[in-house]
Amino acid sequence: MLPWTVIGLALSLRLARSGAELGLPASALQGDLLFLLDSSASVSHYEFSRVREFLGRLAALLPVGPGALRASLVHVGSRPHTEFPFGQHSSGSAVQDAIRAAAQRMGDTNTGLALAYAKEQLFAKAAGARPGVPKVLVWVTDGGSSDPVGPPMQELKDLGVTVFIVSTGRGNLLELSAAASAPAEKHLHFVDVDDLHIITQALRGSILDAMWPQQLHASEVTSSGFHLAWPSLLTADSGYYVLELAPSTDPGASRRQQLPGNATGWAWTGLDPDTDYDVALVPESNVRLLRSQHLRVRTLPEETGPELIVVSHARPRSLRVSWAPALGPDAALGYHVQVGPLRGGAAQSVEVPAGENSTTLQGLAPGTAYLVTVTAAFRSGRERALSAKACTPEGERSRAPRPQPQRTGGREP
């Protein structure tokens, strides 16, 4: 089990207690939870059965009910398929039975298509979804996809959907870290298919924490901003919201934003890295008195990309490239190194895992100038790059073949 799973477990258990500390019973929860299950042919029948059992047990632990949490299951395949919509099942045990009865769909792994479909389901009244309640997506995958995942997943997160990803161990760490909600330590789990039970309680706690009612909460926290979301407290006709933001150490440098009564989210950008911010949501209702809500959010440390690229061990067909790595609590998840001729031509790339800061580029042409670019990828999904020029030396000049003595007739002595 990777360290992230252990960290995520501890964080989720701590956050799961936050609702209890507020005095809110689990029955007060409201939210729409969509399970996105990889049901394609890339998943073995055994893996599918293990994941299905895991999701069933998870659902049985959740407060599912008509006025509480509603759940839906969508399959990933050649085309997305809804196993059951929101509101069809009124208890956790009923959802568990429905998940256990789900059959594998097979086909291609078109996860991007399924995510676009999931966005429609999460906000469609016809699918049983409700306006103004927290939205959570739990995607269980073997890591592969036949189509792009990034853009449709970002659309979901931009709409305030909290995204949890459970990978059975073969996924691309950089891609999945960017796809999950931030911070990735809480929202991304790498677990072997036979060890999924280890994260059941932790994931349950994280899901419940994302769905506490009447609670202002932050997601998609980066070094320069974060997304705020809250349940619907007003309507467009019954009032408006005033959103206030100020650094904890400098309350005078506050920012204010007025939002209509039907708003349920807002994104603050252009903030300072590694800084505590105090947020206040003030509902101004012309119908009834509503209390303001307060939250403190800390932005991530600044994302520092690679520095000081050094090219060494230059050979006619290879170069050794090193760089000063990103350090600190928000260190890069990995590096992408690309090299291409300055005068044009095909470029090649190498993936370098986190913790390493050098690589040897092979298969180059002698006596050629190249542009080398090292890109650091961060948990927030952002990237920082640095480039440098390098040149391979000329190869050894080919020697003319030595003349062979001509033989004349007769035998050699």
Side-chain angles (χ1 to χ4, degrees):
M1 182 170 62
L2 295 183
W4 275 19
T5 299
V6 178
I7 295 172
L9 211 155
L11 278 171
S12 297
L13 289 175
R14 176 178 64 82
L15 290 167
R17 290 195 295 268
S18 63
E21 292 166 0
L22 292 172
L24 295 170
S27 59
L29 283 174
Q30 281 196 332
D32 292 337
L33 170 63
L34 191 146
F35 294 114
L36 191 64
L37 175 60
D38 189 345
S39 187
S40 67
S42 68
V43 180
S44 71
H45 291 296
Y46 174 77
E47 290 175 322
F48 182 81
S49 66
R50 299 299 296 165
V51 170
R52 186 176 54 189
E53 182 65 21
F54 161 70
L55 289 181
R57 291 180 178 178
L58 176 63
L61 298 174
L62 296 172
V64 176
L69 189 152
R70 294 182 181 179
S72 175
L73 176 65
V74 171
H75 292 268
V76 175
S78 296
R79 298 188 63 82
H81 172 75
T82 299
E83 183 71 26
F84 53 86
F86 298 107
Q88 179 171 325
H89 302 292
S90 57
S91 69
S93 59
V95 173
Q96 181 182 29
D97 292 340
I99 292 175
R100 285 176 169 173
Q104 188 170 3
R105 307 287 297 181
M106 306 303 286
D108 295 330
T109 315
N110 291 329
T111 308
L113 185 63
L115 286 170
Y117 177 78
K119 183 183 74 171
E120 297 175 359
Q121 299 298 297
L122 278 166
F123 295 94
K125 187 176 181 180
R130 294 163 292 176
V133 301
K135 309 288 184 179
V136 173
L137 174 76
V138 176
W139 173 31
V140 185
T141 175
D142 68 348
S145 179
S146 304
D147 57 351
V149 170
M153 188 68 87
Q154 190 59 51
E155 290 183 17
L156 281 167
K157 292 187 291 185
D158 289 344
L159 289 169
V161 178
T162 302
V163 177
F164 295 94
I165 300 177
V166 178
S167 173
T168 52
R170 296 193 297 273
N172 183 294
L173 176 62
L174 297 181
E175 292 179 358
L176 294 180
S177 298
S181 290
E185 295 95 330
K186 178 185 174 183
H187 298 89
L188 174 61
H189 297 275
F190 277 85
V191 190
D192 186 82
V193 71
D194 289 318
D195 295 326
L196 286 167
H197 63 278
I198 295 174
I199 66 167
T200 302
Q201 289 292 343
L203 185 55
R204 172 189 178 271
S206 296
I207 292 171
L208 294 182
D209 184 72
M211 291 186 173
W212 288 116
Q214 312 301 315
Q215 185 182 5
L216 175 68
H217 64 279
S219 62
E220 300 303 306
V221 181
T222 69
S223 60
S224 61
F226 49 83
H227 184 276
L228 294 171
W230 57 90
S232 178
L233 305 174
L234 305 170
T235 65
D237 299 325
S238 66
Y240 61 91
Y241 297 99
V242 175
L243 197 59
E244 300 177 348
L245 173 80
S248 301
T249 57
D250 187 11
S254 63
R255 296 163 61 176
R256 291 167 60 91
Q257 182 68 39
Q258 182 171 317
L259 300 170
N262 57 357
T264 57
W266 179 258
W268 286 113
T269 59
L271 307 183
D272 294 329
D274 202 18
T275 302
D276 284 324
Y277 285 91
D278 289 325
V279 181
L281 177 70
V282 184
E284 299 287 357
S285 173
N286 54 29
V287 177
R288 58 194 175 102
L289 180 64
L290 294 171
R291 292 189 305 168
S292 60
Q293 300 183 34
H294 300 268
L295 182 69
R296 176 167 289 185
V297 184
R298 188 176 186 86
T299 53
L300 297 179
E302 188 172 9
E303 299 164 336
T304 57
E307 299 178 359
L308 191 64
I309 293 179
V310 176
V311 178
S312 61
H313 299 83
R315 300 287 187 269
R317 296 190 177 277
S318 66
L319 293 169
R320 183 72 176 174
V321 179
S322 306
W323 58 90
L327 301 175
D330 198 37
L333 295 173
Y335 301 92
H336 178 81
V337 183
Q338 187 175 55
V339 58
L342 280 174
R343 294 185 177 181
Q348 58 173 286
S349 59
V350 178
E351 300 293 335
V352 179
E356 298 184 17
N357 66 323
S358 63
T359 188
T360 299
L361 303 173
Q362 305 278 2
L364 307 182
T368 303
Y370 286 93
L371 181 67
V372 179
T373 301
V374 180
T375 303
F378 296 92
R379 295 189 181 101
S380 65
R382 297 187 178 185
E383 297 180 341
R384 298 291 175 90
L386 184 67
S387 298
K389 296 178 182 179
C391 187
T392 54
E394 295 283 352
E396 295 183 3
R397 294 182 178 179
S398 58
R399 299 179 180 179
R402 297 177 61 181
Q404 297 293 327
Q406 295 184 355
R407 298 180 181 178
T408 60
R411 298 176 60 184
E412 292 183 355

